[in-house]
Amino acid sequence: MKVIEAPLDGCLIIEPEVYSDSRGFFYESFHVERYRKEAGLNLPFVQDNFSYSERGVLRGLHFQRTRPQGKLVRVTHGESFDVAVDIRRGSTSFGQWYGLILSAENRRQFWMPPGFAHGFLALSETLAFEYKCTDYYQPEDEGGIAWDDPELAIQWPLQNGVPLKLSVKDSSAPMFSAYRDEIFL
């Protein structure tokens, strides 16, 4: 597998080795020893999540306040624009974002260590999105940041004529500045 350092401190892009022939393809989507040795992912994964979305669905930016989750994300069907925002106070990339295309075709995975807000936009007609987490989801610990925060200025690849579909919670999430004094990461 190929491990690429992303511009945010601690984030990685992982490209698995894919074996293809006329019948299709095969690749290891996770192997605890290889990911530990080759990518330095030493945290235990305790929860796997699956999300299905239609084109235009934007989910995020979500995080856990006191029990942050590291996430290893990938797309198994379709295409998404995946975004991480560093909310770790004292980090060299605090308040910065990074986004990349994840798709079933490119088979890339994106690792965000604990302390990042995460979101994604479904670019394809349908999207199947999977992620491994290093801590359990705690509804009472969840926080959110506005997807369109002008300070973060995330360059979402919005598609002409495709309406955004947001949850009530995501459409009313506070700005990044509201979290600066609350962050314990």
Side-chain angles (χ1 to χ4, degrees), residues 3-66:
V3 179
I4 304 161
E5 289 187 25
L8 299 180
D9 183 32
C11 290
L12 301 172
I13 301 162
I14 299 171
E15 296 178 347
E17 189 169 346
V18 180
Y19 303 94
S20 299
D21 63 24
S22 61
R23 300 168 299 154
F25 65 87
F26 169 85
Y27 69 93
E28 285 183 347
S29 60
F30 183 73
H31 184 288
V32 69
E33 287 302 314
R34 288 192 68 214
Y35 278 60
R36 184 182 60 77
K37 288 178 184 173
E38 296 178 35
L41 302 187
N42 233 355
L43 299 171
F45 290 104
V46 299
Q47 180 175 322
D48 283 5
N49 298 327
F50 178 85
S51 173
Y52 177 84
S53 302
E54 297 176 349
R55 184 186 312 272
V57 169
L58 193 151
R59 299 183 189 271
L61 302 160
H62 303 149
F63 63 93
Q64 298 274 118
R65 294 174 190 271
T66 61

Side-chain angles (χ1 to χ4, degrees), residues 143-158:
I145 298 171
W147 69 275
D148 58 350
D149 184 304
E151 181 182 350
L152 296 175
I154 297 170
Q155 300 299 305
W156 297 97
L158 303 178

Side-chain angles (χ1 to χ4, degrees), residues 97-110:
W97 68 274
Y98 175 70
L100 74 161
I101 300 290
L102 297 177
S103 69
E105 187 175 306
N106 72 22
R107 299 178 188 97
R108 285 182 152 188
Q109 297 174 324
F110 186 40

